[in-house]
Structures are given as structure tokens and as C-alpha cells.
Amino acid sequence: MAERISEKTIGRLSLYRRLLTDNVEPERRFVFSHELAALVGVTPSQVRRDLMVTGCYGNPSRGYRITEVVDAIGGIVDDSDRQNVALVGMGKLGGALVGYFRGRRPNLEIVAAFDVAAAKIGRVYSGVLCYHLDALSEVVAERGIHTGILAVPGGAAQAVADRMVSAGVLGIVNFAPAPLRVPETVYVETIDLAVALERAGFYGRQNAEAAGKAAG
Amino acid sequence: MAERISEKTIGRLSLYRRLLTDNVEPERRFVFSHELAALVGVTPSQVRRDLMVTGCYGNPSRGYRITEVVDAIGGIVDDSDRQNVALVGMGKLGGALVGYFRGRRPNLEIVAAFDVAAAKIGRVYSGVLCYHLDALSEVVAERGIHTGILAVPGGAAQAVADRMVSAGVLGIVNFAPAPLRVPETVYVETIDLAVALERAGFYGRQNAEAAGKAAG
DNA sequence: GGGTGTGAAGCCGTTCACAGCA
DNA sequence: TGCTGTGAACGGCTTCACACCC
């Protein structure tokens, strides 16, 4: 539907919706772009530009109707039915992620977990049953899963990603510290914690130096 | 030191270094830009451009000397001594992150954890002692901490971030589903899992539709 | 021949600026 | 008056293209 929407825009739309539903007093009917901008930490122009792709129109004296914006964003980012997600790698991180999402978001649910350790198979973690990785294709097909979370050690990541792809997963959020090679039709978002920390360290230090220089 | 380096470049440099140290046979001495590019999943031009900021020069017949590149990147992204990191919020996610980094990266270590739950104070998680949040300033000063990980619920995130900032933390990796408001001198990188999943769902679906249309 | 270093071009996302409107 | 919608300008990152070198 419609033209290509950039990754950044999709990310911000997802945020707009969440903050509008979770962080705005429920009796509010309308928001101005500058209010939403302050909430999210972007410029008002940015908000208006993003909302253009939703087809919502604001009113100069009232702003944007919140329910309309929320629904329109849902029409873009949500699957027609709920988005069922599979998680592979029920280690500490996997367990934390399952617990984190447990009933948290209305349109998003981790419905199955997978591992290869015998001790974990058949156990239920935060309400999610852990299957053997060999059952991946079957469960993915049964449950209509299109999105997967990869939370295995770096060495196993590519092999597991390959299995996810052949099972029919189309979007992967990858927490393994390794770039993945997948077909063009599959979307991967790698979340690299070590990179994030090194970046935070670097810019923190750099800002401190700049501030020190300006002060001294 | 030198001109501004973009966030994307810093992130890639961090990745280059890690893959060069972890994913390349130790007897290799040199790499070509196209090899490193394939490893990381970027273009060779990108690699050469990034390496320019390190001051390393490659040789047309051999490529880049690996040790030289690794050291040069270290000179940019590493702190002069090891980067000590504090983690606030010893819930499931916090516990997983502590375990994840335990001895994993040579220049990066979570040296202290903080929470407010009495049951957690004084306990040791994966070798990391958990303090009460009230001790934050003291421990941050003592251990020379400049980087923090925020793994608390969204509602507490801003208040905890304020305390981290006033304790002297300069870079924050934020896992709470909430944008943070901090002074300009502090760097924040927010990792929003729900946004990542919604994006993976959206692009997965879109790619599938595009492929279906092309095929059908 | 094949790879590097880098100015120039291209592309894409953000911001500006302003007409239009409540 | 103040906000929206949007063409146009801007800026930054990526890619191209090619001289230079081994």
C-alpha cells in the first residue's frame, strides 16, 4: 500500500502510537505536532512529515485526532491479525525477552520459544512453551509466524537464521553479535549490545572533553 | 582528537574490530576491504572510507594490516583505561545483560549493578554486586564509571536517568520503552525492542507482498 | 590486474519557510 | 494568531569513478 516508507519513519510511527496510547491522558482527544514532538524527542516538522504517510489530516486549531492517528498507524504497522513472534535461544537473554513482552503490547506476542538444550524443551517460560529447534518449521507454519527473535550465541546465529528463513520467517530481530546473511526478501534488524555500549562510551567521553575544553 | 566521527561510522568501526579479532583466523595478517566488507555486510567503499578516519593506510597488494587496524580503532573507541559500566535495574533483562557481558569483551565491563528492591541489594549476579540505587553517585565516582545501562520499567526511566546524569554518567544505553530527556552533554542510545519487532514485522510483510506481486 | 585513497556525485532524510486555513 | 501541509533547500552519508600504486 502506497509508497515506500523509510525504516526511520516506521520506527517513529511505532513510537508515536505507543506514546499516544500509553503516555497521554485518556481524556485527551487531540494533539498538536509540537506536543507529540516533545514527547518523542523530535521536531514538529518531523512529526507532521511522518503523519503525512498515514493519511491523517490535522486541524490547525485542534491538532490531530488521537484515535484517528493511532488507528492509521495500526493500519500501516500491524499485521491484519495479531503479530505472532517466535523466539529462538532460551538462554538468559531469551528468557528476559519473553518475560518482557508477556502481555505487554496488544498487537505483538511471543507465542513460541525454541532451543536445543534437552533440559529446556517442554518447559514453559513466562507462559511460553519451549520447543526443540527441530519443530521450528512446523510451529511457524501452524501459528502463522512471520517474525522471529534470534537470541543464540554468535557462533550459532547464521545456522539458526538459515533455519528460520527456510521455515518461512520474514523479519528477524537479531541479538547475536554477528551480521546475518539472508535473502533480500527477509528483513533483519541487528541489535548489537557491545556496539551500543562502545558508542555510548565514545560519545560520552567526547562530549565530556568538548565541555571541558569549552569550560577551561 | 581529529574531526567529528558520525555515529554510524563509530558503530561500524566497533564491528570491524570485533570481527577482525574474533572472526578471522589468527594467523591472518592482512585483509582487503572487500573481505572485511563481506564479513560485516557493507560495501568495500564504505570500509575504505571508514578506515580513513583511523589513519591506517592499506597496501594495494596486501590490504590492511589487521593489528594496525585493530589498534587504531581501539585508540578511537576505547577509553584510556577499561570502560567500566554501571547497570541500573536488576530485573530479568538486567540480569541477562550482566550475564551476557561477563568477561565477554576485553575493554568493556559491567562493574556494578543497582536496584531498589531490598531482596536484590547485596546479592551478586554473574559476579556483579548489586547496590541500592542510593549508592549510585558514590560507586560511579569510586569506580570511574562514565557509561550506564538503563534497564528499568518505562515509568521509572526518566527519574533514574536523571540520577545517572547527576552521578556523572556521560553515556547511557536505554532499554526502557521511553525517550529520555538529558542534557546535551550526555549521549543516549535507546534500544526499543517493541519498535524493533514492529519494524521487523512490517518489512517482513512488505517484502513478502512485493515478492508475491512479482511472482504472481 | 587488482586494490587503495579520495574528490565528486548522488541519494535520502530532515529542516526551512511559507501559503492556507480555523 | 497559531498550526497544518508541503515544495524547496539543506546537510550528511554512501557510492561512484578514477588516478595512483604494488
Side-chain angles (χ1 to χ4, degrees):
Chain A
M1 37 179 83
E3 79 294 10
R4 229 62 183 173
I5 305 180
S6 78
E7 294 183 22
K8 298 219 175 154
T9 298
I10 289 292
R12 283 190 303 264
L13 289 176
S14 164
L15 253 184
Y16 296 158
R17 175 171 65 163
R18 198 180 65 209
L19 293 177
L20 285 174
T21 52
D22 296 2
N23 293 28
V24 165
E25 315 83 80
E27 68 273 17
R28 284 287 301 270
R29 291 275 122 97
F30 291 86
V31 267
F32 290 116
S33 62
H34 64 85
E35 298 175 302
L36 188 47
L39 217 51
V40 177
V42 300
T43 65
S45 310
Q46 183 77 83
V47 170
R48 297 202 299 276
R49 186 66 72 177
D50 288 338
L51 291 185
M52 282 179 67
V53 312
T54 67
C56 294
Y57 282 78
N59 172 317
S61 59
R62 259 182 286 267
Y64 298 84
R65 183 182 294 274
I66 293 177
T67 55
E68 190 187 337
V69 171
V70 168
D71 290 347
I73 293 176
I76 293 173
V77 308
D78 287 343
D79 208 339
S80 44
D81 33 274
R82 185 175 43 214
Q83 184 172 343
N84 286 341
V85 177
L87 180 143
V88 181
M90 187 45 79
K92 284 184 185 169
L93 182 59
L97 293 172
V98 167
Y100 181 86
F101 277 106
R102 176 69 172 154
R104 182 82 63 101
R105 305 302 316 160
N107 309 302
L108 206 58
E109 193 177 351
I110 297 177
V111 298
F114 299 87
D115 208 302
V116 292
K120 293 172 183 165
I121 314 302
R123 280 195 57 185
V124 174
Y125 297 84
S126 301
V128 177
L129 177 59
C130 185
Y131 299 86
H132 192 281
L133 184 56
D134 290 342
L136 184 67
S137 288
E138 191 186 341
V139 176
V140 162
E142 263 171 21
R143 306 296 303 263
I145 293 169
H146 300 119
T147 309
I149 299 175
L150 191 44
V152 302
Q158 183 62 57
V160 172
D162 292 343
R163 295 183 72 163
M164 290 171 88
V165 169
S166 69
V169 169
L170 298 167
I172 298 176
V173 177
N174 171 37
F175 286 91
L180 299 182
R181 189 172 285 282
V182 298
E184 279 186 2
T185 53
V186 176
Y187 176 83
V188 174
E189 176 154 341
T190 293
I191 294 182
D192 194 310
L193 307 174
V195 167
L197 274 180
E198 293 202 331
R199 201 153 38 193
F202 173 79
Y203 284 103
R205 219 174 317 124
Q206 183 171 283
N207 287 348
E209 282 166 17
K213 199 167 295 173
Chain B
M1 36 177 84
E3 80 292 12
R4 229 64 181 170
I5 305 179
S6 78
E7 295 183 20
K8 299 216 177 157
T9 298
I10 289 292
R12 284 190 302 263
L13 289 177
S14 165
L15 253 184
Y16 296 157
R17 177 172 64 164
R18 198 181 64 210
L19 293 178
L20 285 176
T21 52
D22 295 3
N23 293 27
V24 165
E25 315 84 79
E27 68 275 14
R28 282 290 297 272
R29 291 274 123 101
F30 290 87
V31 265
F32 290 116
S33 63
H34 65 85
E35 297 174 304
L36 188 46
L39 218 50
V40 177
V42 300
T43 65
S45 309
Q46 183 77 84
V47 170
R48 296 201 300 274
R49 186 64 77 179
D50 288 337
L51 291 185
M52 282 179 68
V53 313
T54 67
C56 293
Y57 283 77
N59 173 316
S61 58
R62 260 181 284 268
Y64 299 84
R65 183 183 294 273
I66 293 178
T67 57
E68 189 188 338
V69 171
V70 167
D71 290 348
I73 294 175
I76 292 172
V77 308
D78 287 344
D79 208 338
S80 44
D81 32 274
R82 185 175 42 213
Q83 184 172 343
N84 286 339
V85 177
L87 181 143
V88 182
M90 187 45 78
K92 283 184 190 170
L93 183 59
L97 293 173
V98 167
Y100 181 85
F101 276 108
R102 175 69 172 154
R104 182 82 63 104
R105 304 305 313 162
N107 309 301
L108 208 57
E109 192 177 354
I110 298 178
V111 297
F114 298 87
D115 207 302
V116 292
K120 292 171 185 165
I121 315 300
R123 279 195 55 186
V124 174
Y125 297 84
S126 303
V128 178
L129 178 58
C130 185
Y131 298 86
H132 191 282
L133 184 56
D134 290 341
L136 185 66
S137 289
E138 191 186 341
V139 175
V140 162
E142 263 171 20
R143 305 296 303 264
I145 293 169
H146 299 118
T147 310
I149 299 175
L150 193 43
V152 304
Q158 183 63 57
V160 172
D162 292 344
R163 295 183 72 163
M164 290 171 88
V165 169
S166 69
V169 169
L170 298 167
I172 298 176
V173 177
N174 172 37
F175 286 90
L180 299 181
R181 192 172 284 282
V182 298
E184 279 186 3
T185 53
V186 177
Y187 176 82
V188 175
E189 175 152 343
T190 294
I191 293 181
D192 195 310
L193 307 173
V195 167
L197 275 180
E198 294 201 332
R199 200 154 36 192
F202 173 79
Y203 284 103
R205 218 174 316 123
Q206 182 172 283
N207 287 347
E209 281 165 18
K213 198 168 296 172

